[in-house]
């Protein structure tokens, strides 16, 4: 929320020497973070008041005019001006040569299309006094003489502070609220609100004709009055300047006064064209399905229970959120009904959420406005309007049973010491609470440690909606004492270790390190990807989509696999024409069944041109090796894993596989399916994915150390086999042929080609035999080898090669 | 020729030999079976005993001297030959080394590890919370009912389909604070837990990414005070950054804590004087914290009088950027190889 210093100072007299910076320190201590300080409306020593005496058409340009302007110099000044509203008789702001306007825009004398121009006639935005681009030059309403410096009538620029008001401080969404908080801290003295009348008046200056009613708990207090005989007039320049500084565009006395009242006192108001209101102005709960046409071309279908304002003919407004088009005031409306009500915060919040309406009124009502302020604000605003636009104020019509008074909080001041860990004497606590306008009653028993025995009864002011607990009160005292008043303390060390299952987190972090140790750069990509891509990786599972994705992005569906993210990271690296790094990621993948922790990596040929030896493109075996290395670092029993030739659909069906231990699938590896690669527009790459969660169930069993004092013996065997027999099958057959002395079976050569018959493959294996009891003799070895050969020959139609 | 002259003469010739073969030829000539010396030694027996003793000693001395000379010369020649051979094998060691793959963990992962290590020292244990979370755990149980104004500030991603079974609305967690609720439901005080991980908000601009990382910590223990919270958090920052910084604490608002605050750290770029990085304030916001709200403690059947506690949260990405000198948040999620190589950390002391 923005506050402007000149308006703040109508509610608080600040100490001498207060600067925006010292104010910012005080506001920060109070919990209102200052996000920026700037000046609105500048200091323009070279901008003066001028009278346009004559405007003629520019001889060389259709859209330009040549003006003769009196700026109090005795002679007229010629200025070329392109504004459509430039005409004789206007009072305008003239930037003289030498002036510097916002945006470092320097004004000089020049020739425009061959015509001399000695200065510039300014629009509001050129002077930095309007946020939006103004249509034409500023038509000033001032009696100041030509040549008067603009500063003399405008005063200096407005100092604006941008505050972050936290959601619990609805009371601070106004200048009055900020002033109250500052005064409680001791920064300045509150100036009592100059209110014309505290109570609703029955002293009719003009009779009230409108009747009001409320039939819903969504609006427990409803007030209105009438204004008659209004002239269409602008608000005072000083007010316009403040509104501009606060980011609002001044319109006319009526609109400006309602905005001004809301910004000053925190109470939103609404004005109706009295001629368009038929019968009783009433608040009621909407029936489901009713429609409402709101200001700004908003067409709503209302939900049951939402608060609406009606007259006898229909719905005029969505209570506390948005006015309707039917009863909106028009330029020149002279008879107006002004409303100030209290709308229920919860109802307002739910309605605003349901219709996605963000208005200044909603922002204040859903945080809770001060129920004691509604009538006061209504009168304040009515009198501003009549002050600015003439007319008469009627008496006030009110309805509703009002808002429940705040409940007292039982509070023992000793709680501060036990909860905060710092000492503030009860008398001081009481003084601070009173400074914040809390009512403190009762006598605490300072001996008692039980918080509710002999407590104070502390009643918050009506505008502190969120104050309900003793902890809330400690925060109030702490804010005024300063959070820095608390001396940091370390708690005693842990009284016994607390057991939490950290295993999934540790697995997540260890996997990242294992991938890095295996040569991968860890990537973190977004958890959401494009829906068509996600569908390619769905594996038949139901996907989860974002119900409200960011606009203009393809982040629409939660990723079912880490591979798409890695592929797009890979592509963006290629686009930077760099070596494609080996990338890996550890993170969650999602489906309707839930989220799973996985790791994945992408291996692409490096573009590095090595002078020594070329490296082949990574293939299924490169991916398999890396997957096994990572799994092994993670403690998976890789040696007992089996490989199957299946893999998810995005893998090359003939060049991919799945690693599993028993029922636990640990990894898929292989080359990316050429069709997937084509669809994602990526060159051939090898990939792997690891299922990490099964590792939590696969604990490698500790084995005792077995010394092997006798030498191992190696024997090589080569077989000619049908091509559909896998290496894994042959190794398994050999291993099964001897369980005791066969230590290892390793494939060391594989051949398919011209040197052997078609349809056959040659597989060479190295068998390691070792006994823990003796050195193996030829007599021990031969039968084992023979058994192995025989097993392979019979089981796989193999022939032993010489 | 007397024997000394002969020895000097032969030694001079040996020292002139230029190759191992030369040297071997000479050795055969002077010490071989058919050499004069061997013959002389063989004919010693024909001499009278006295003469034989004198002559024998002389000849044996000569033989030993020659053997030493040959051995020395041989070693020298062998070394020279090896050196020549090695010289011929010399390579240009300035050519590039073989390519290797240098893996790195992401700077955000490194920060998560450093944060976990710092908090572990302070007695906090890792807890785990899912990323897809029910509305209940992400908001309502954290004292954020559906109408709460703070809900708008959080720009939540909602998910389709809703969970059909419990008909609950599901969201991508907007904060790691869901770990608080899970801890309160599962454990009895005293406890100190931390949760570190990915969170999501519907926000994408220069300084926001729709996905980022948070750390959450909670300590619930009888006797815990606000002063303890400040002590633990100052110490956490000191452990994480490896040195002490000036910090300040100011009030803030979180629905799940009361009182609540934020901790700022003195801007290191300007030492508190004010600069662009700190938006001229001299301070950088690093942590949000507060005493656990009674409505949150109630989830675990606790209350702030008997089992007070505090909770805190911080942006991991921001901490990583401050610690490692990364200036653009969005770089963290672009997987740029050169960036990951430069700012990623080696996985040593790992695995
Ligand atoms: Zn700085």
């Amino acid at each position: 929320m923005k506050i402007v210093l000149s308006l703040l100072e109508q509610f608080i007299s600040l100490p001498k020497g207060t600067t925006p910076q010292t104010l910012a320190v005080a506001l920060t201590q109070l919990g209102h973070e200052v996000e920026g300080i700037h000046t609105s409306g500048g200091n323009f020593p070279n901008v003066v008041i001028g009278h346009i005496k004559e405007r003629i058409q520019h001889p060389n340009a259709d859209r330009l005019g040549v003006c003769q302007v009196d700026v109090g110099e005795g002679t007229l000044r010629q200025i070329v001006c392109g504004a459509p509203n430039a005409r004789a008789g206007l009072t305008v702001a003239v930037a003289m040569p030498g002036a510097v306007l916002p945006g470092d825009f320097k004004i000089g004398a020049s020739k425009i299309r061959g015509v001399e121009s000695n200065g510039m006639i300014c629009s509001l935005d050129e002077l930095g006094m309007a946020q939006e681009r103004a249509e034409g030059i500023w038509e000033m309403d001032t009696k100041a003489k030509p040549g008067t410096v603009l500063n003399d009538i405008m005063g200096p620029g407005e100092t604006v502070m941008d505050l972050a008001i936290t959601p619990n401080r609805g009371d601070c969404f106004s200048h009055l609220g900020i002033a109250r908080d500052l005064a409680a801290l001791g920064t300045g003295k509150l100036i009592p609100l100059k209110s014309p009348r505290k109570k609703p008046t029955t002293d009719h200056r003009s009779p009230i004709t409108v009747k009001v009613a409320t039939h819903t708990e969504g609006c427990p207090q409803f007030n209105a009055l009438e204004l008659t005989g209004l002239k269409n007039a602008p608000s005072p320049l000083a007010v316009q300047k403040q509104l501009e500084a606060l980011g609002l565009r001044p319109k006319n006395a009526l609109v400006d006064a309602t905005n001004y009242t809301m910004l000053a006192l925190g109470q939103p108001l609404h004005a109706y064209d009295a001629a368009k209101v038929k019968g009783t102005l009433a608040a009621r709960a909407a029936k489901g399905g009713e429609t409402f046409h709101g200001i700004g071309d908003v067409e709503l279908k209302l939900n049951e229970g939402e608060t609406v304002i009606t007259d006898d003919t229909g719905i005029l407004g969505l209570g506390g959120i948005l006015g309707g088009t039917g009863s909106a005031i028009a330029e020149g409306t002279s008879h107006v009904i002004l409303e100030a009500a209290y709308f229920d915060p919860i109802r307002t919040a739910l309605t605003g959420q349901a219709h996605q309406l963000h208005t200044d009124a909603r922002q204040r009502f859903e945080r809770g406005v001060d129920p004691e302020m509604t009538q006061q604000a209504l009168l304040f605003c009515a009198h501003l309007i009549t002050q600015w636009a003439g007319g008469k104020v009627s008496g006030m019509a009110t309805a509703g049973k009002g808002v429940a008074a705040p409940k007292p909080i039982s509070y023992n001041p000793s709680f501060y010491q036990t909860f905060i860990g710092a000492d503030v004497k009860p008398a001081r606590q009481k003084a601070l609470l009173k400074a914040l306008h809390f009512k403190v009653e009762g006598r605490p028993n300072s001996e008692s440690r039980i918080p509710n025995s002999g407590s104070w009864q502390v009643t918050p002011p009506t505008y502190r909606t969120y104050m309900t607990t003793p902890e809330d009160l400690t925060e109030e005292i702490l804010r005024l004492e300063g959070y820095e008043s608390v001396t940091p303390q370390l708690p005693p060390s842990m009284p016994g270790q607390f057991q939490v299952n950290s295993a999934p987190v540790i697995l997540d972090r260890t996997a990242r390190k294992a991938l890095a140790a295996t040569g991968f750069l860890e990537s973190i990509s977004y958890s959401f990807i494009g829906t068509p891509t996600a569908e390619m990786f769905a594996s038949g599972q139901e996907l989860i989509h974002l119900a409200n994705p960011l606009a203009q992005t393809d982040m629409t569906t939660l990723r079912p696999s880490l591979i798409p993210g890695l592929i797009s990271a890979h592509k963006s690296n290629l686009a930077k024409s760099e070596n494609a790094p080996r990338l890996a990621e550890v993170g969650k993948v999602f489906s309707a069944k839930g989220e799973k922790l996985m790791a994945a990596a992408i291996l692409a040929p490096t573009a590095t041109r090595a002078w020594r030896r070329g490296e082949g493109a990574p293939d299924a075996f490169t991916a398999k090796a890396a997957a096994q290395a990572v799994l092994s670092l993670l403690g998976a029993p890789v040696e007992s894993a089996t490989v199957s030739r299946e893999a998810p659909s995005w893998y090359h069906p003939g060049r991919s596989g799945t690693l599993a231990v028993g029922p636990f699938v640990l990894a898929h590896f292989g080359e990316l399916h050429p069709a997937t690669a084509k669809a994602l527009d990526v060159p051939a790459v090898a990939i792997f994915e690891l299922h990490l969660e099964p590792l939590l169930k696969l604990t490698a069993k500790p084995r005792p150390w077995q010394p092997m004092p006798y030498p191992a013996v190696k024997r090589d065997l080569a077989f000619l086999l049908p091509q559909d027999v896998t290496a894994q099958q042959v190794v398994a057959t050999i291993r099964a042929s001897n369980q005791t002395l066969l230590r290892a079976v390793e494939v060391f050569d594989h051949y398919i080609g011209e040197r052997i018959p078609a349809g056959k493959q040659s597989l060479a294996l190295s068998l390691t035999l070792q006994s823990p009891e003796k050195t193996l003799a030829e007599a021990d070895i031969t039968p084992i080898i023979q058994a192995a050969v025989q097993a392979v020959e019979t089981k796989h139609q193999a022939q032993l090669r010489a | 020729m007397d024997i000394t002259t002969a020895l000097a003469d032969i030694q001079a010739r040996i020292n002139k030999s230029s190759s191992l073969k030369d040297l071997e030829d000479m050795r055969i000539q002077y010490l071989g079976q058919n050499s004069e010396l061997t013959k002389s030694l063989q004919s010693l027996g024909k001499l009278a005993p006295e003469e034989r003793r004198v002559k024998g000693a002389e000849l044996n001395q000569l033989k030993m001297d020659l053997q030493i000379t040959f051995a020395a010369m041989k070693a020298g020649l062998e070394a020279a030959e090896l050196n020549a051979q090695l010289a011929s094998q010399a390579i240009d060691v300035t050519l590039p080394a073989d390519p290797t793959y240098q893996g790195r963990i992401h700077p955000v992962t490194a920060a998560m590890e450093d944060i976990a290590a710092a908090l572990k020292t302070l007695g906090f244990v890792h807890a785990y919370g899912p990323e897809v979370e029910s509305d209940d755990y992400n908001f309502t149980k954290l004292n954020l009912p559906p109408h709460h104004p703070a809900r708008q500030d959080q720009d939540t991603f909602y998910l389709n389909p809703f969970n059909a079974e419990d008909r609950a609305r599901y969201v991508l967690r907007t904060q790691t604070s869901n770990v608080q609720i899970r801890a309160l439901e599962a454990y009895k005080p005293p406890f100190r837990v931390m949760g570190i991980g990915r969170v999501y908000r519907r926000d994408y601009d220069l300084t926001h990414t729709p996905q980022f990382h948070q750390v959450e910590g909670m300590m619930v223990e009888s006797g815990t005070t606000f002063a303890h919270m400040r002590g633990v958090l100052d110490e956490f920052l000191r452990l994480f950054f490896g040195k002490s910084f000036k910090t300040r604490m100011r009030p803030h608002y979180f629905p799940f804590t009361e009182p609540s605050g934020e901790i700022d750290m003195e801007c290191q770029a300007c030492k508190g004087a004010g600069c662009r990085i700190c938006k001229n304030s001299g301070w950088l916001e690093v942590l949000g914290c507060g005493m656990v709200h009674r409505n949150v403690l109630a989830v675990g059947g606790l209350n702030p009088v008997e089992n007070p506690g505090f909770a805190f949260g911080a942006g991991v990405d921001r901490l990583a950027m401050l610690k490692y000198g990364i200036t653009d948040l969005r770089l963290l999620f672009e997987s740029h190889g050169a960036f990951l190589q430069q700012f990623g950390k080696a996985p040593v002391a790992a695995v």
Side-chain angles (χ1 to χ4, degrees):
Chain A
M1 187 194 66
K2 288 190 171 76
I3 59 164
V4 51
L5 223 51
S6 63
L7 182 51
L8 183 69
E9 284 183 292
Q10 292 180 16
F11 297 104
I12 189 168
S13 66
L14 293 169
K16 276 217 168 65
T18 304
T19 63
Q21 285 67 35
T22 58
L23 211 49
V25 171
L27 288 165
T28 303
Q29 184 187 333
L30 287 166
H32 312 301
E33 206 184 332
V34 178
E35 294 183 321
I37 303 172
H38 70 274
T39 308
S40 157
N43 226 350
F44 309 118
N46 283 317
V47 181
V48 300
I49 303 298
H51 288 165
I52 302 181
K53 295 295 179 193
E54 181 196 83
R55 179 195 181 275
I56 55 163
Q57 181 62 43
H58 191 291
N60 307 325
D62 287 351
R63 295 207 173 162
L64 297 179
V66 181
C67 298
Q68 300 300 326
V69 187
D70 175 7
V71 291
E73 294 171 313
T75 55
L76 297 182
R77 189 170 270 265
Q78 177 169 302
I79 300 173
V80 174
C81 179
N85 61 335
R87 60 187 187 273
L90 284 188
T91 302
V92 293
V94 178
M96 306 288 274
V100 181
L101 301 184
D104 207 22
F105 179 25
K106 295 191 181 76
I107 305 300
S110 61
K111 269 190 175 172
I112 296 171
R113 296 277 191 107
V115 175
E116 212 165 282
S117 182
N118 297 306
M120 188 178 86
I121 305 175
C122 305
S123 65
L124 273 172
D125 67 302
E126 282 160 346
L127 291 168
M129 292 193 283
Q131 317 264 321
E132 305 157 43
R133 172 109 184 81
E135 297 255 329
I137 53 172
W138 182 19
E139 300 184 22
M140 293 182 70
D141 177 36
T142 173
K143 298 191 169 59
K145 284 195 192 116
T148 308
V149 178
L150 190 60
N151 282 346
D152 291 351
I153 52 169
M154 293 297 290
E158 296 281 355
T159 302
V160 184
M161 305 182 91
D162 213 340
L163 305 185
I165 303 293
T166 54
N168 59 327
R169 295 306 302 271
D171 63 302
C172 283
F173 266 96
S174 68
H175 287 68
L176 170 65
I178 296 294
R180 267 191 312 235
D181 234 24
L182 282 167
L185 185 65
T187 307
K189 246 189 115 200
L190 211 55
I191 300 170
L193 186 59
K194 270 180 249 128
S195 128
R197 245 164 249 94
K198 270 214 142 151
K199 295 275 178 230
T201 176
T202 48
D203 160 32
H204 303 203
R205 290 198 198 172
S206 64
I208 176 127
T209 54
V210 66
K211 288 192 170 57
V212 297
T214 173
H215 312 292
T216 171
E217 290 183 351
C219 178
Q221 197 183 326
F222 193 75
N223 313 299
L225 50 69
E226 273 176 86
L227 294 159
T228 47
L230 301 179
K231 293 191 299 280
N232 184 23
S235 52
L237 218 53
V239 170
Q240 292 190 27
K241 230 174 62 165
Q242 288 172 331
L243 291 174
E244 292 279 8
L246 293 168
L248 287 171
R249 192 169 189 181
K251 262 182 136 171
N252 55 47
L254 184 56
V255 173
D256 292 0
T258 53
N259 282 331
Y260 185 87
T261 306
M262 177 180 74
L263 296 169
L265 304 179
Q267 169 69 44
L269 300 105
H270 190 70
Y272 302 87
D273 185 340
K276 296 175 190 162
V277 177
K278 310 279 178 248
T280 304
L281 199 58
R284 67 160 168 86
K287 298 186 268 285
E290 283 186 289
T291 56
F292 166 62
H293 203 92
I295 293 168
D297 213 15
V298 179
E299 190 77 56
L300 300 177
K301 195 165 187 184
L302 301 176
N303 302 307
E304 191 177 333
E306 293 175 347
T307 306
V308 290
I309 310 298
T310 60
D311 68 358
D312 292 355
T313 60
I315 296 174
L316 303 181
L318 189 57
I321 298 178
L322 191 67
T325 44
S327 60
I329 49 166
E331 195 84 12
T333 307
S334 67
H335 185 189
V336 160
I337 298 169
L338 196 61
E339 162 210 298
Y342 179 95
F343 292 102
D344 179 64
I346 294 178
R347 171 59 64 197
T348 310
L350 293 174
T351 306
Q353 278 173 23
H355 300 295
Q356 289 292 304
L357 290 169
H358 301 275
T359 61
D360 288 334
R362 172 191 167 188
Q363 194 180 36
R364 287 170 173 81
F365 282 120
E366 74 180 0
R367 286 162 171 79
V369 300
D370 181 3
E372 296 281 290
M373 179 58 76
T374 51
Q375 297 185 348
Q376 217 175 328
L378 185 57
L379 291 170
F380 180 91
C381 183
H383 285 271
L384 282 184
I385 295 169
T386 51
Q387 225 175 319
W388 300 344
K392 284 183 175 174
V393 185
S394 77
M396 193 186 291
T398 78
K401 58 180 190 319
V403 179
K407 288 196 191 74
I409 303 162
S410 289
Y411 177 74
N412 187 314
S414 69
F415 181 58
Y416 190 87
Q417 168 75 51
T418 53
F419 194 57
I420 301 298
D423 192 23
V424 176
K425 296 279 171 291
R428 169 95 179 136
Q429 293 192 40
K430 187 181 260 182
L432 294 175
L433 289 170
K434 284 185 162 172
L436 288 161
H437 306 282
F438 286 69
K439 208 159 69 185
V440 183
E441 293 163 311
R443 178 187 293 272
N445 178 355
S446 56
E447 302 301 306
S448 171
R449 307 286 289 176
I450 303 159
N452 279 344
S453 86
S455 295
W456 285 338
Q457 296 301 307
V458 181
T459 312
T462 49
Y463 47 83
R464 293 304 303 271
T465 352
Y466 283 78
M467 291 286 124
T468 52
T469 68
E471 298 86 84
D472 292 329
L473 298 179
T474 64
E475 184 178 73
E476 292 304 299
I477 295 161
L478 195 53
R479 276 196 316 130
L480 298 189
E481 280 289 282
Y483 275 37
E484 286 298 320
S485 69
V486 179
T487 311
Q489 259 184 301
L490 279 176
S493 59
M494 207 59 190
Q497 193 53 53
F498 164 61
Q499 286 307 310
V500 177
N501 178 13
S502 302
V505 190
I506 292 166
L507 178 64
D508 170 302
R509 304 293 189 266
T510 315
R512 294 166 194 241
K513 291 183 233 171
L515 283 158
T518 314
F520 292 91
L521 290 178
E522 189 196 350
S523 152
I524 296 183
S525 52
Y526 289 112
S527 295
F528 7 68
I529 59 176
T531 309
T533 309
E535 277 161 358
M536 280 194 259
F537 292 83
S539 272
Q541 300 194 78
E542 188 184 0
L543 295 172
I544 302 204
H545 306 285
L546 295 180
N548 55 342
L550 281 164
Q552 272 126 35
T553 66
D554 63 351
M555 301 192 232
T556 47
T557 299
L558 293 191
R559 57 183 182 190
S561 159
L562 300 174
I563 294 297
L566 287 169
I567 286 178
S568 80
H570 175 63
K571 281 169 65 182
S572 83
N573 275 291
L574 286 181
K576 293 192 174 81
S577 67
E578 291 187 9
N579 297 334
R582 293 192 162 182
L583 293 174
E585 178 163 4
V586 174
K588 295 284 180 67
V589 300
F590 305 85
S591 77
K593 278 194 203 144
E595 55 190 75
K596 283 197 296 182
L597 184 65
M598 292 195 72
I602 184 164
L603 303 95
T606 52
T608 314
R609 305 221 308 249
W611 61 276
R612 219 147 82 97
R613 70 176 116 86
E615 198 192 21
D619 59 12
F621 294 105
T622 332
K624 183 181 179 185
Q628 284 174 327
V630 174
L631 286 172
S632 151
L633 284 171
L634 291 174
V638 179
E639 60 294 335
S640 56
T642 53
V643 182
S644 63
R645 290 172 131 169
E646 294 122 34
S649 61
W650 52 93
Y651 287 83
H652 187 307
R655 298 184 168 200
S656 61
T658 292
L659 267 169
V661 170
F664 301 110
V665 170
L666 298 185
H668 312 293
F669 61 89
E671 291 158 37
L672 187 65
H673 196 298
T676 310
K678 193 176 171 202
L680 296 176
D681 191 25
V682 64
V685 290
I687 53 173
F688 68 81
E689 287 162 277
L690 308 178
H691 296 264
L692 294 178
E693 279 155 12
L695 296 178
L696 294 171
K697 297 175 194 138
L698 276 175
T699 42
K701 281 186 207 100
R703 279 185 301 147
W705 171 248
Q706 190 178 27
M708 280 288 175
Y710 304 101
V713 184
K714 289 205 173 205
R715 287 289 184 275
D716 292 347
L717 294 174
F719 295 99
L720 211 55
L721 292 147
Q723 274 183 20
D724 60 353
V725 177
T726 67
Q728 180 173 269
Q729 288 170 329
V730 177
V731 169
T733 302
I734 295 174
R735 280 196 155 279
S737 70
N738 183 294
Q739 311 265 3
T740 51
L741 298 177
L742 210 49
R743 290 277 161 261
V745 181
E746 284 153 338
V747 174
F748 69 89
D749 193 33
H750 179 246
Y751 177 78
I752 293 175
E754 291 164 3
R755 286 183 279 120
I756 56 174
K760 298 273 181 189
Q761 59 176 331
S762 162
L763 196 67
L765 304 107
S766 166
L767 282 59
T768 305
L769 298 97
Q770 196 174 24
S771 161
E773 283 148 14
K774 59 173 185 170
T775 301
L776 292 175
E778 215 41 57
D780 304 311
I781 299 164
T782 311
I784 296 173
I785 297 299
Q786 278 173 352
V789 170
Q790 200 174 15
V792 175
E793 280 177 341
T794 48
K795 203 156 180 200
H796 305 301
Q797 295 88 46
Q799 279 169 269
L800 188 66
R801 298 187 78 195
Chain B
M1 192 158 57
D2 82 18
I3 214 148
T4 319
T5 322
L7 176 64
D9 195 40
I10 296 166
Q11 279 176 332
R13 287 191 61 198
I14 290 171
N15 287 341
K16 275 190 201 132
S17 64
S18 58
S19 70
L20 284 169
K21 186 173 178 307
D22 253 19
L23 191 69
E24 181 61 10
D25 288 349
M26 255 186 274
R27 193 191 62 79
I28 292 163
Q29 182 185 348
Y30 297 115
L31 292 173
Q33 287 300 313
N34 299 319
S35 67
E36 237 173 288
L37 184 59
T38 308
K39 285 183 189 145
S40 304
L41 282 166
Q42 281 167 348
S43 60
L44 276 179
K46 296 171 189 158
L47 300 178
E50 182 57 17
E51 198 183 352
R52 186 166 66 200
R53 197 180 50 80
V54 176
K55 188 83 178 165
E58 243 176 42
L59 287 175
N60 274 318
Q61 183 61 45
L62 179 64
K63 186 180 177 185
M64 223 154 73
D65 286 349
L66 280 177
Q67 278 171 333
I68 289 167
T69 308
F70 271 114
M73 193 59 201
K74 191 178 178 202
L77 282 174
E78 276 173 351
E81 201 150 291
L82 182 64
N83 285 342
Q85 188 193 348
L86 294 184
S88 76
Q89 292 171 347
I91 54 167
D92 176 4
V93 293
T94 67
L95 283 165
D98 288 353
T100 53
Y101 294 101
Q102 293 183 16
R104 292 282 184 270
I105 56 170
H106 196 282
V108 167
T109 300
M112 292 197 286
E113 289 291 276
D114 291 354
I115 288 167
L119 287 175
K120 200 175 165 196
T121 314
L122 292 161
F124 288 78
V125 192
H126 256 306
Y128 190 67
E131 290 176 24
V132 170
E133 191 54 285
S134 68
D135 187 280
D136 215 26
Y137 278 80
N138 193 68
F139 292 122
T140 310
K141 288 187 171 178
L142 282 160
N143 199 29
L144 267 151
H147 57 79
H148 201 289
R151 279 204 177 197
Q152 290 179 52
D153 300 337
Q154 292 205 329
D155 285 325
T156 311
F157 280 117
Y158 287 92
L159 300 176
N160 271 330
F162 296 169
N163 190 302
E165 270 164 48
D166 50 14
R167 306 198 62 74
R169 196 155 196 209
Y170 275 71
V171 303
L172 283 174
R173 67 172 175 187
T174 58
Q175 53 203 4
T176 38
S177 309
N178 60 343
V179 170
Q180 287 188 30
I181 301 301
R182 288 177 188 277
L184 279 165
E185 286 180 338
Y187 310 111
K188 287 270 156 272
F191 60 76
R192 302 177 192 188
V193 290
M194 61 172 142
I196 313 178
R198 231 177 240 214
V199 298
Y200 305 87
R201 305 240 176 121
R202 222 174 148 271
D203 212 349
Y204 201 9
D205 58 31
L206 277 173
T207 51
H208 297 90
T209 46
Q211 159 187 310
F212 54 103
H213 299 78
Q214 269 191 348
V215 50
E216 183 82 15
M218 177 162 71
M219 165 173 172
V220 178
E221 190 175 323
S222 149
T224 302
T225 66
F226 188 90
H228 289 141
M229 173 170 79
R230 181 66 187 274
V232 164
L233 294 180
D234 276 359
E235 185 63 5
F236 162 64
L237 289 175
R238 189 185 72 80
L239 289 166
F240 175 74
F241 285 106
K243 56 177 171 171
S244 290
F245 288 112
K246 220 159 111 188
T247 61
R248 76 166 182 192
M249 193 174 186
R250 51 186 170 73
H252 198 67
Y253 170 75
F254 301 107
F256 30 91
T257 51
E258 185 68 37
S260 308
E262 277 186 340
I263 290 187
D264 299 335
M265 210 173 78
E266 188 180 71
C267 173
Q268 292 307 293
C270 62
K271 297 285 172 213
C275 69
R276 242 193 44 191
I277 295 169
C278 58
K279 291 189 198 150
N280 283 316
S281 69
W283 296 99
L284 293 169
E285 172 198 323
V286 285
L287 277 164
C289 57
M291 301 298 287
V292 182
H293 197 283
R294 60 169 63 217
N295 294 355
V296 175
L297 285 173
V299 169
L302 309 174
N303 70 67
V305 175
E306 284 155 49
N307 284 294
F310 64 80
F312 61 91
V316 172
D317 316 82
R318 186 167 171 74
L319 288 173
M321 288 167 72
L322 285 173
K323 184 167 179 175
Y324 308 131
I326 300 165
T327 48
D328 184 350
L329 171 71
R330 293 169 305 174
L331 279 174
L332 294 175
F333 307 121
E334 284 174 359
S335 305
H336 186 190
F339 171 82
L340 297 175
Q341 194 70 252
Q342 183 183 336
F343 288 99
K345 304 291 167 200
V348 290
V351 184

